Amino acid sequence: MNFSLTVLGTGGSAGLPQIGGADGAGDWGACDPAEPRNRRSRASVVIGAPEGNLLVDTGPEIRLQLTSQRIARIDAVLFTHAHADHIAGFDEIRILNRLLGAPMPAYADAACWAELHQRFDYAFKPWSGNGFFRPVLAERVVAAGQIVPILGLPVQLLDQDHGFMRSLGLRIGNLAYCTDVVRFAPEAFAALRGVQTLVIDCFTRGGPHPTHAHLAQVLEWVEALRPARTILTHMGPDMDFRSLCDALPAGIEPGYDGMVIEGV
Ligand SMILES: [Zn+2]
């Protein structure tokens, strides 16, 4: 399978720096402001598939993320879940519609679609076919456990426990993208066996978190799955890039905005 993965954003729900800080220029937590890879927008990726670009989630920085990565066209969108940091850029889909010249094929599970309909009701009114003045989606309802063909790739959807809700993980060939997960259902964890590149939620170096994996948990998963390469994402303010690079075992690294993984 030949595809690429561009990591658009690796931040937690508030991004980094968070709004605030002594001088108002941002609160970096334990992260070094001088390290550019500590500047993290909200979690999202683009999968460069054989038949186009699949955007996973539309966070609030999606316009800045796509322009800074020079991605000029999206051919399909998949939503992992309906938290604001994953959907707040939903309106930008109208620009992606204009570039595509068609309703945007979009994949989400039933719970996520219900939330999207409620929050963005205007986007789901009948479309006249006359221009894209609001997002227009070609809705595809999918479910965890399915393998869905998207843009020429078999995308296996994984059931993830995200604390107070479920989220979808993705496995494509030997790569998995699992953001916003605190625990895996046994079937989902079994479906991760054999993964060689694991992009995984790791919000904190501290103790357990109610909705996100913490570092000790990620290390346990890696011990069980033994992927060749593990890349951390959805990182919170205690996840300083350099000190993580120094502390993590071989094969595990913090991701950063703009990271590209080719030829997966
Ligand atoms: Zn979330």
Side-chain angles (χ1 to χ4, degrees):
M1 225 170 287
N2 190 23
F3 63 96
S4 66
L5 181 114
T6 300
V7 182
L8 297 182
T10 54
S13 64
L16 205 75
Q18 299 184 17
I19 296 170
D23 61 357
D27 182 349
W28 292 86
C31 294
D32 178 4
E35 168 53 62
R37 287 166 291 191
N38 278 331
R39 186 173 286 277
R40 298 179 181 129
S41 58
R42 265 49 79 91
S44 178
V45 296
V46 169
I47 291 157
E51 296 168 14
N53 287 326
L54 171 64
L55 172 63
V56 180
D57 293 326
T58 59
E61 289 117 344
I62 199 69
R63 178 180 69 87
L64 301 170
Q65 291 170 325
L66 291 175
T67 52
S68 68
Q69 297 313 313
R70 301 178 180 232
I71 295 171
R73 178 186 160 112
I74 293 295
D75 301 275
V77 175
L78 185 147
F79 295 100
T80 58
H81 65 303
H83 275 160
D85 54 321
H86 294 257
I87 63 167
F90 185 88
D91 275 302
E92 306 295 359
I93 291 173
R94 77 197 164 101
I95 308 301
L96 301 176
N97 283 136
R98 291 177 194 171
L99 293 163
L100 190 64
M104 181 62 66
Y107 301 80
D109 66 17
C112 186
W113 279 122
E115 280 281 334
L116 290 168
H117 276 255
Q118 194 179 16
R119 306 239 206 128
F120 305 102
D121 63 328
Y122 52 87
F124 295 96
K125 293 186 171 141
W127 179 55
S128 67
N130 187 20
F132 296 101
F133 303 102
R134 43 92 169 164
V136 181
L137 284 76
E139 232 176 296
R140 313 271 159 82
V141 184
V142 294
Q146 294 176 340
I147 299 176
V148 182
I150 304 177
L151 300 174
L153 290 175
V155 180
Q156 184 172 7
L157 301 172
L158 312 175
D159 178 31
Q160 298 184 152
D161 183 344
H162 184 22
F164 306 104
M165 70 191 302
R166 315 302 291 186
S167 64
L168 291 177
L170 282 70
R171 177 172 180 169
I172 308 172
N174 289 330
L175 176 138
Y177 177 64
C178 299
T179 190
D180 294 65
V181 58
V182 64
R183 274 174 297 273
F184 286 102
E187 320 81 73
F189 198 72
L192 286 172
R193 299 263 171 212
V195 156
Q196 288 303 303
T197 305
L198 175 65
V199 184
I200 185 83
D201 182 356
C202 186
F203 181 70
T204 176
R205 302 174 80 158
H209 184 278
T211 56
H212 290 279
H214 61 296
L215 183 57
Q217 175 65 79
V218 170
L219 294 176
E220 264 184 45
W221 288 336
V222 168
E223 184 65 29
L225 296 170
R226 301 206 164 272
R229 190 176 182 192
T230 299
I231 297 160
L232 309 181
T233 191
H234 209 292
M235 290 175 283
D238 69 351
M239 298 283 284
D240 177 64
F241 186 88
R242 275 272 149 229
S243 61
L244 279 168
C245 290
D246 293 342
L248 289 170
I252 309 181
E253 60 194 300
Y256 55 88
D257 292 20
M259 184 181 219
V260 179
I261 303 161
E262 295 279 4
V264 186

